[in-house]
Amino acid sequence: MFGIKKGGFDSRDFSRELKKVMDKKAYGIQMADEIFRLLCGYCQGGADCTVYYGYGGREILFGTTMPEDEAAFYRRDFREHTESARVRDKKAVWIWTENGALRGMWVFEIHDGAAESTEMVCRETVLAVQAVFSACLLAEELEKEQKRDCVTGLYGNVVFEETLRRFMEQKADGYLIAARRPVRYGGCGTAMNGTIQMLAETCISSGVPDIYRIGEDTVALLCMEGQEKAYAIAQQIADTGETDLCVTRISALEGGKVYPVIWRSLGRTEHAGKAFGLHYPYPKLPIYMEGSEGGWNGKTEQ
């Protein structure tokens, strides 16, 4: 491919620029963002670009050269693997990629009067960056895997905040659902580990991919499938037992007041002063050891 010129596009030049972006830099979301900007720079004369990537059913990357509210039209295409024209009589090109659990969708809206070679240029640039772009996102996910809570298998506060902040910046139309299940101690009852595990399993069964453990007894979900779905999930959780719930529209949240909104709604005023970006000191390891006969034995993990 490299060295072939089409409509003023020099793929050899693009390769050199891509190498500069990659030179002596760590693979991750920052490099992926730089690669996206480079690609858009080469296509901007003939097309607008929107990209979505997901990992294991979760949306992990969104980028666009269009107004974000217009580009959001393609989010449903990404989730449902469809190709729907946003503007009648305007040509759009979809390019799908897949690498195991990593799935991507590139959409190029071709400008009116663009050169005939524009579609080919778009396809060539995606082909040129696809491998390294995927490697960057997989490296980012590998780093996130180290931030999972070992009791529930869910991501914790760090990833929760990164994802919620991204949705807030995008002004995404979604809902934050927080669920807290009180821990009851007793000789024959389950201790904290069992309680939070059962709550996590209930949340996972909802089918929502963005689920996080944000406190010792609290799980948060980010639902991007509308109000009806969000409240149906909340009802599903409530039906499984005594649970405090908070349902809030993401667009109504403010960065510095996310945790206060959650804790006040869940009746935990002692935590209402916690700031978004200040992570909880709760340990990653199980903090209660259950005795062989069940129930808390009074010992803690160090």
Side-chain angles (χ1 to χ4, degrees):
M1 180 186 75
F2 295 124
I4 301 175
K5 290 186 177 181
K6 290 188 177 69
F9 171 70
D10 187 338
S11 49
R12 184 184 300 172
D13 178 56
F14 182 80
S15 180
R16 284 195 296 266
E17 293 301 315
L18 179 60
K19 185 176 180 180
K20 290 180 184 177
V21 171
M22 298 168 56
D23 189 36
K24 298 179 181 178
K25 293 179 182 176
Y27 279 43
I29 196 69
Q30 183 174 348
M31 185 190 291
D33 182 64
E34 291 184 39
I35 292 171
F36 175 70
R37 294 175 186 276
L38 173 65
L39 181 148
C40 292
Y42 271 77
C43 298
Q44 66 181 358
D48 279 310
C49 176
T50 296
V51 61
Y52 283 97
Y53 266 80
Y55 183 82
R58 294 181 299 106
E59 181 186 312
I60 62 172
L61 181 134
F62 163 72
T64 187
T65 59
M66 302 166 55
E68 290 189 357
D69 58 338
E70 295 180 12
F73 172 87
Y74 293 110
R75 182 172 269 123
R76 175 173 293 181
D77 273 0
F78 177 62
R79 289 176 179 160
E80 301 178 2
H81 210 292
T82 55
E83 298 182 2
S84 308
R86 187 181 68 85
V87 180
R88 183 179 298 179
D89 299 327
K90 189 177 187 68
K91 184 176 182 180
V93 176
W94 285 260
I95 303 172
W96 299 87
T97 68
E98 190 166 347
N99 187 337
L102 183 69
R103 186 170 66 91
M105 179 191 75
W106 302 78
V107 183
F108 294 89
E109 288 193 0
I110 309 299
H111 296 167
D112 294 336
E116 293 183 2
S117 62
T118 299
E119 179 177 345
M120 181 65 71
V121 170
C122 294
R123 293 188 181 278
E124 285 191 344
T125 51
V126 171
L127 181 62
V129 305
Q130 179 181 340
V132 65
F133 199 82
S134 296
C136 287
L137 297 181
L138 288 171
E140 189 75 14
E141 288 307 302
L142 178 61
E143 183 177 344
K144 286 183 179 179
E145 287 297 319
Q146 300 172 10
K147 301 172 183 177
R148 282 190 183 274
D149 167 53
C150 70
V151 177
T152 61
L154 301 177
Y155 289 120
N157 295 79
V158 174
V159 181
F160 166 69
E161 293 183 12
E162 290 172 354
T163 306
L164 181 57
R165 185 177 290 110
R166 175 163 52 85
F167 284 147
M168 291 169 67
E169 289 172 351
Q170 296 172 11
K171 296 179 171 55
D173 185 18
Y175 287 80
L176 163 65
I177 307 165
R180 172 182 176 260
R181 182 160 297 169
V183 178
R184 298 190 180 281
Y185 304 110
C188 60
T190 57
M192 181 178 287
N193 293 344
T195 303
I196 193 68
Q197 285 169 345
M198 287 188 290
L199 177 57
E201 289 170 4
T202 300
C203 294
I204 291 170
S205 70
S206 71
V208 172
D210 296 299
I211 307 175
Y212 312 88
R213 183 181 183 181
I214 62 170
E216 76 271 33
D217 55 3
T218 307
V219 173
L221 306 86
L222 300 178
C223 175
M224 312 305 292
E225 301 177 44
Q227 184 183 57
E228 184 175 348
K229 175 69 171 179
Y231 279 93
I233 291 171
Q235 186 62 58
Q236 177 186 341
I237 296 171
D239 288 344
T240 62
E242 182 182 352
T243 309
D244 298 322
L245 286 161
C246 165
V247 182
T248 306
R249 195 163 193 158
I250 292 175
S251 59
L253 293 170
E254 298 179 38
K257 299 180 180 178
V258 172
Y259 287 126
V261 167
I262 293 173
W263 300 139
R264 288 193 183 102
S265 297
L266 298 179
R268 299 189 58 183
T269 55
E270 72 273 19
H271 290 292
K274 291 290 184 180
F276 193 59
L278 298 179
H279 307 302
Y280 291 94
Y282 306 137
K284 293 289 184 180
L285 295 176
I287 60 175
Y288 293 99
M289 295 175 59
E290 295 185 23
S292 58
E293 298 179 356
W296 180 48
N297 63 8
K299 297 179 181 179
T300 58
E301 293 277 13
Q302 300 297 325

